[in-house]
Amino acid sequence: MSTLTQDAARAGASVGLDGDRITFRGGRPLKGRIEVRGAKNLVTKAMVAALLGEEPSLLRQVPDISDVRVVSGLLELHGVKIERDTETGDLHLDPSNVERAHMAEINAHAGSSRIPILFCGPLLHRLGEAFIPDLGGCRIGDRPIDFHLEVLRNFGADIQKLSEGIRMHAPNGLTGAKVELPYPSVGATEQVLLTAVRAKGRTELRNAAIEPEIMDLINILQKMGAIISVDADRVIRIEGVDRLTGYSHRALFDRNEAASWASAALVTKGDIFVGGARQGEMLTFLNVFRKAGGAFEIEDDGIRFFHPGGELKPVVIETDVHPGFMTDWQQPLVVALTQAHGTSIVHETVYEQRFGFTDALVEMGADIELHRECLGGQYCRFGQQNFLHSAIISGPTKLHGANIEVPDLRGGFSHLIAALAAEGTSTVSNVGIISRGYENFIQKLEQLGADFTVEG
Ligand code: EPU
């Protein structure tokens, strides 16, 4: 057992920090087996949930990624004792001595993640106040927090915007509320859950997000003693309770990472067994993967994704909230679609600016046009605005090596696999961002036989 801070130092040395570069020699199929652990978009929230318990919690299968380190740092600042078993990924979180943290210390984490906004409810319950630094996360749209603030106001929080961040108070505690979200936001749904479970009385949330990661957070909160029902039509009802215990939970696997490796297999004409992946949470992805010409075999301990030979086929995709095609799946798949015979369309309806990564693909020889119109079967919130949120991908096009810079997490992974599929040598810089969400991606690339050199 070691403390997370020691782990972070070790991981920083091996995984790579922002600014690192990798030179790839493309053209080799990726083949072999890799494992995925807990979902980035669940474990970070489950760690925040531990703040609500009166006893320690145990979260299993926690990946060593930088978003986990950021959340650990913030929890430790608030007095949570954290220990991690590096082998198993077990994370022990002890919230027995939750305390106020200094604003300046919290601010050292400004811009590093979006998770701090989810500390609000638990801290208001535990301390009667909370301070949240400026948020970070990928620059893939405006990413406002208006839904979150409105939710917290509904529960009775008093919110003050300061130049350094946001300060909140709830001297009289928080009370359950009726909330209807303008859009089924993942983060705002989590905000309601993490706040309502200890609020006085009942909460009814309409137009909630129902992603599998949210369902797993609900599982965790129920283990802690919460009373939550998920009804038809995106309605979640919560009865507040006076106290919550700790939990012991194996985190849901990272389906976004699994889908990324699946696309890597397709674009490099490879064969990757993703240990830990499950069918149920990837149903929509698997359908599209098959339509695009990919093949898969579902086993008890994971899913084998491979290129079965023959031509890849074009597809028309609209990203959407669950159970639709996730926005985080489109970027790696777009790289594979550059190799499909025909014209594919991707209509991004979740984030207004999530095609920035395609510039580099075009530089590498891809034929991708971006449009402001909604090119799927439905109009989305961005249709009347000036956002390039639909892509037409014509293929197949040969990809050639280039010097490219990673713009964000998922776009960054797509750059890696484009470089691996391209003819010749590519240098991909700023790869440190990728360790925000892909555990040991460099070691995994090695395991799969990729030909590359990491530069400092
Ligand atoms: N939105 C608002 N106001 C708000 C909150 C959201 O307008 O107060 C808008 C957003 O701008 C966006 C849409 O609602 O257009 C959906 O955002 P959502 O709140 O659902 O996203 P999130 O909670 O910030 C999480 C994941 C994202 C994933 C989305 C959608 C985490 C830490 N992030 O973001 O993951 O794409 O849900 O499933 O859980 C990633 O892993 O690379 C990533 C970006």
Side-chain angles (χ1 to χ4, degrees), residues 40-41 45 143-147 185-187 328 350-351 410:
K40 163 178 94 68
N41 292 346
K45 290 78 180 271
R143 304 193 81 178
I145 51 166
D146 50 339
F147 304 167
S185 149
V186 168
D328 302 290
V350 180
Y351 289 110
R410 307 292 168 198

Side-chain angles (χ1 to χ4, degrees), residues 40-42 44-45 67 113-115 118 137-138 140-149 183-190 209 211 213 255-256 320-322 326-328 331 349-352 354 381-382 408-410 436-438:
K40 163 178 94 68
N41 292 346
L42 176 265
T44 43
K45 290 78 180 271
D67 269 19
S113 161
R114 298 192 64 73
I115 311 298
L118 296 177
C138 291
I140 49 182
D142 196 25
R143 304 193 81 178
I145 51 166
D146 50 339
F147 304 167
H148 292 258
L149 299 183
Y183 182 83
S185 149
V186 168
T189 299
E190 292 158 345
E211 269 61 9
E213 292 78 12
R255 64 201 177 110
N256 294 341
D320 207 346
V321 294
H322 188 77
M326 273 209 83
T327 167
D328 302 290
Q331 303 78 357
T349 76
V350 180
Y351 289 110
E352 64 273 32
R354 221 172 180 184
R381 298 170 294 151
F382 311 133
D408 60 65
L409 178 63
R410 307 292 168 198
R436 273 194 48 218
Y438 293 88

Side-chain angles (χ1 to χ4, degrees), residues 27-138:
R28 271 199 207 173
L30 293 187
K31 288 189 174 171
R33 176 178 177 131
I34 49 117
E35 303 294 321
V36 293
R37 294 207 273 192
K40 163 178 94 68
N41 292 346
L42 176 265
V43 293
T44 43
K45 290 78 180 271
M47 291 167 70
V48 179
L51 260 180
L52 289 162
E54 287 177 18
E55 289 100 31
S57 289
L58 166 60
L59 185 59
R60 301 203 301 281
Q61 290 288 307
V62 177
D64 185 14
I65 51 175
S66 49
D67 269 19
V68 165
R69 290 177 227 144
V70 170
V71 177
S72 299
L74 274 170
L75 285 169
E76 284 174 336
L77 280 181
H78 288 93
V80 179
K81 208 167 152 253
I82 303 183
E83 285 188 335
R84 177 188 167 90
D85 185 319
T86 9
E87 278 296 297
T88 61
D90 282 1
L91 199 65
H92 296 258
L93 302 118
D94 183 352
S96 314
N97 297 308
V98 171
E99 59 189 13
R100 283 178 182 76
H102 292 293
M103 221 157 96
E105 285 178 324
I106 298 176
N107 247 329
H109 292 271
S112 50
S113 161
R114 298 192 64 73
I115 311 298
I117 189 76
L118 296 177
F119 277 65
C120 297
L123 286 180
L124 288 170
H125 285 304
R126 293 292 304 244
L127 304 170
E129 63 174 48
F131 171 73
I132 306 302
D134 280 342
L135 301 179
C138 291

Side-chain angles (χ1 to χ4, degrees), residues 421-432:
E423 249 173 36
T425 301
S426 298
T427 302
V428 186
S429 53
N430 206 26
V431 291

